Structures are given as structure tokens and as C-alpha cells.
Amino acid sequence: MDHISSQLELEKGNKLLKRKEISAATRILEVLQQKDNRVKAASTTNLSSLSFLGGNSTKASEYADIALEADRYSGKALVNKGNCFFIEGDFVSAKEIYLETIGVENDNFQAIFNLGLVNVQLGLAEEAIQAFEELHRLTPNNPEVIYQIADIYDLQGRSAEAIRWFSVLMARVPNDPNVLSRLSQLYLKTSEDTQEALHYQLESFRNYPVDLDVLSWLGSYFVQNELYEKSIYFFRQAQLVQPNEVKWGMMTASALRRINDDEGALREYEALHQRFP
């Protein structure tokens, strides 16, 4: 009966966690630490997760150790312990724990994902890609996994592979402005033809019209191609986003002068002088 009662209390604690009633859940889980190993492992694993999310990695590590003493093969407890090593910068130990977790549960998503992240920190790009590609095989529609693969290839300077994976990602999240902007940057690296880059920057702007890097790129692109009227539009958008930055007004005035709109340029300079004497 005591075991059944403990299980019911554990279930109650888990339900409180789902409702984000953290204090009430913590009180129940702390009591359950004193129960049999199975309940003890489950309760301290949850306490470890709560401590970690609360920014107390020391306490999280202590709870993870208690959970692992009760059940060495708990995938969740192992991941928690690995995460504590990770946050403390001990990437070698974190990697060992994640590999141990995968040995226990070869499809543990969080362990494989974190193994990829820790390999990035260790400068092991190929091993990181291998981990994330294994996850992609298990969860082919997960955008976060695809992003990690594309990002690593980009950081490695392997632009063709990065373009391929960002394109795969775009099929999953077609309107993500950051993905569109990254594709634009990659096409600039790999081709002298800027039309693909322009296309993706315009799409990025269409989906998120307040990104200053995109606005600056588009404005500068149209200046370089002597399409000054178009550049003015993007510089004015940048002024709306960042009204206290004088350079956007200066760029607008300069573009107005390029199209011989001296009156418009003068008005812009006068307005700037009033705001930034």
C-alpha cells in the first residue's frame, strides 16, 4: 500500500509541475526522496530538473547524484547530470555522461542533442554533425535539429552543405526570417550572382520588417546598384525602427542627393540637425 501511495503522490507532484505550481510540487517531491529507490529516483530526478531550471546547478547535480544512486540506468537522471557538467564547462565529463545515457537509451533525444552541442564546444564538428544527423534520422521534421546541422556546416565554411541544410530547414519553417537571411549570406559567399541573395533578404524583410541588419543590407545593395529610390525606402524603415540613430537619416539624405532631390536632402539634414544638434 505504501508503494501505491507513493506512486499516487509522485503523480500528484508531476501534475503540479505541469500546472507550474512549483513550490507545491517541490514539497511533495522532497518528501518522496525518502521512499523506495524507484520513487526516490523519479522524485529526485524532477528536483534536479527544477534546480537546474532555477539556475542552481550545484543543487541540481546533488539531486542527480541521489537519483543515479537509486537508479543508475535512469536516462533522465543521467541527462541531468550531464547538463550540470555542461553548464559548469566540463565538456569532457558531460560528453561521457551523454554517451552513457545513449548506451542505456539509444533513442534518448535530449542526450543525443546535447552530445551534438558538447561536441561543438569541444571543436569536434564531424562528431557533432554525426549526432545531429542521427537525430534527424529519428525525427526528420524537427527544425531545431536541422538548424544545428546547417549552422555547423556554415561555421565550418562548408557553404554548399550549409545551403542544402538551410534549404531543408526552410521547407519546414518557410517564413522564418533568420533562416532566409542566413541563406542570403551563404549565397553571397558562393556566387557572384547576387540575385539569390537579394531574393532571400527581401523575403526575410517581408516576414520580419524590423531587422536592422536586413534593412541595412537592402539599403546598401540598392545604393551599390544605383537604385537610390529603393534604398531610401529601406533607410526610412530603419529610421522608424531605430529613430535615435543618426546614420539612417544621413544615408537617406545621401540617397536623396544622388537622385538630385536637393530640397528633400536639405529637409532631411535640417531635421537631423534639430534632433542631433
Side-chain angles (χ1 to χ4, degrees), residues 29-193:
L29 294 171
E30 285 177 342
V31 171
L32 292 175
Q33 299 183 64
Q34 312 305 322
K35 302 298 180 178
D36 66 75
N37 278 354
R38 184 175 178 182
V39 174
K40 182 179 183 179
S43 62
T44 51
T45 295
N46 285 340
L47 287 166
S48 176
S49 298
L50 286 172
S51 299
F52 188 84
L53 293 172
N56 190 340
S57 61
T58 301
K59 197 68 177 174
S61 183
E62 290 173 2
Y63 279 129
D65 287 337
I66 295 170
L68 289 171
E69 286 177 10
D71 181 2
R72 185 64 198 180
Y73 300 105
S74 168
K76 290 181 179 179
L78 284 165
V79 168
N80 284 345
K81 186 64 179 180
N83 291 347
C84 292
F85 281 129
F86 191 107
I87 204 72
E88 292 164 5
D90 186 351
F91 301 124
V92 172
S93 295
K95 180 176 180 177
E96 290 174 357
I97 294 293
Y98 295 141
L99 286 171
E100 183 179 348
T101 310
I102 295 165
V104 173
E105 300 174 3
N106 63 6
D107 60 349
N108 187 305
F109 179 93
Q110 201 60 58
I112 302 171
F113 190 92
N114 291 358
L115 177 64
L117 294 180
V118 83
N119 279 327
V120 170
Q121 294 295 324
L122 291 168
L124 302 171
E126 289 302 325
E127 290 188 34
I129 289 170
Q130 182 180 357
F132 287 122
E133 287 189 342
E134 171 62 16
L135 265 190
H136 178 61
R137 185 184 67 78
L138 295 171
T139 58
N141 293 313
N142 189 304
E144 195 172 358
V145 172
I146 300 169
Y147 173 83
Q148 293 295 333
I149 299 169
D151 188 52
I152 295 168
Y153 276 128
D154 190 13
L155 293 173
Q156 289 289 300
R158 298 159 69 178
S159 298
E161 291 96 332
I163 286 173
R164 180 168 71 86
W165 281 100
F166 273 119
S167 297
V168 171
L169 179 57
M170 195 172 66
R172 307 307 195 273
V173 285
N175 298 316
D176 187 293
N178 293 320
V179 174
L180 292 162
S181 184
R182 290 288 292 273
L183 272 169
S184 171
Q185 295 163 25
L186 284 162
Y187 276 110
L188 282 176
K189 291 178 185 178
T190 58
S191 174
E192 294 181 1
D193 183 1

